[in-house]
Amino acid sequence: MTKTTTDGAPPAVELRVPTEEDAWNWHHAFAHPDVMEFHGGAPAELSVYDELTARQRRHHAERGFCLYTLLGPDGTVLGFAGAQPWPHESWGPVGEIEIGWRLGRDHWGKGYATAAARAALDDVRAAGVPEVVAMINSRNARSIAVAERLGMRRAETYEKPEVTAYCYRLAL
């Protein structure tokens, strides 16, 4: 399945269900320390992305949405955007659907994350999900700005010893 949008204006983005090869693509795109600043600081092992892309294929088959591979206008893998069940069982918005995005460093600031998230929300709505959340590190101003451009509003704050996370919500 491929979805394309221009969101009324550039940038054009394409979303696809992640392939096995996308594990390497995501691993490569997210290897920059700036990208991983709010995701543990260091690049993740390839095996993490092997598991993540496999899980996203299952989510799409079972739910009709997932974290999609985000492709730029020339077909380059820019990162991912989409939604999945909140993956943690002991903290945060347990049981809810989280929308998220992550782009390679070279693709920041060009509108890709917002355009892709808007396109992905179409599948979440079609699946009958009434609301999504976005969990964002309180220091991540770029992701907070994307959430706000999507019309999300800050609802809760979750504290852990190593992070303060804001929970943004959007009724669908």
Side-chain angles (χ1 to χ4, degrees):
M1 182 206 70
T2 300
K3 295 182 69 164
T4 303
T5 181
T6 58
D7 196 36
V13 296
E14 182 178 332
L15 301 176
R16 74 169 180 228
V17 176
T19 64
E20 288 182 21
E21 293 79 23
D22 284 329
W24 184 89
N25 292 326
W26 291 4
H27 176 70
H28 179 72
F30 305 148
H32 194 286
D34 289 351
V35 174
M36 298 307 293
E37 178 181 2
F38 303 111
H39 304 284
E45 297 293 325
L46 179 58
S47 62
V48 170
Y49 297 110
D50 284 330
E51 190 281 327
L52 182 58
T53 56
R55 186 170 8 119
Q56 298 315 310
R57 289 189 295 278
R58 279 192 312 275
H59 288 323
H60 191 268
E62 294 169 0
R63 297 173 180 267
F65 58 85
C66 65
L67 293 177
Y68 295 100
T69 295
L70 168 58
L71 303 170
D74 64 356
T76 301
V77 172
L78 308 181
F80 65 63
Q84 66 175 349
W86 174 247
H88 305 286
E89 296 178 11
S90 61
W91 78 283
V94 175
E96 300 201 50
I97 300 299
E98 180 194 31
I99 187 164
W101 46 85
R102 188 182 309 169
L103 275 65
R105 180 64 183 95
D106 292 342
H107 311 294
W108 290 7
K110 299 175 183 171
Y112 290 120
T114 303
R118 284 187 178 139
L121 282 172
D122 291 342
D123 287 351
V124 179
R125 281 186 190 95
V129 175
E131 180 180 66
V132 293
V133 299
M135 288 290 286
I136 303 172
N137 185 302
S138 63
R139 298 180 299 115
N140 190 341
R142 290 179 179 274
S143 280
I144 289 170
V146 171
E148 290 174 350
R149 281 193 292 277
L150 293 172
M152 301 185 87
R153 297 292 172 248
R154 191 169 125 194
E156 298 107 41
T157 301
Y158 290 92
E159 301 279 346
K160 288 180 74 175
E162 67 278 4
V163 67
T164 297
Y166 296 148
C167 181
Y168 281 75
R169 293 183 175 276
L170 178 67
L172 302 177

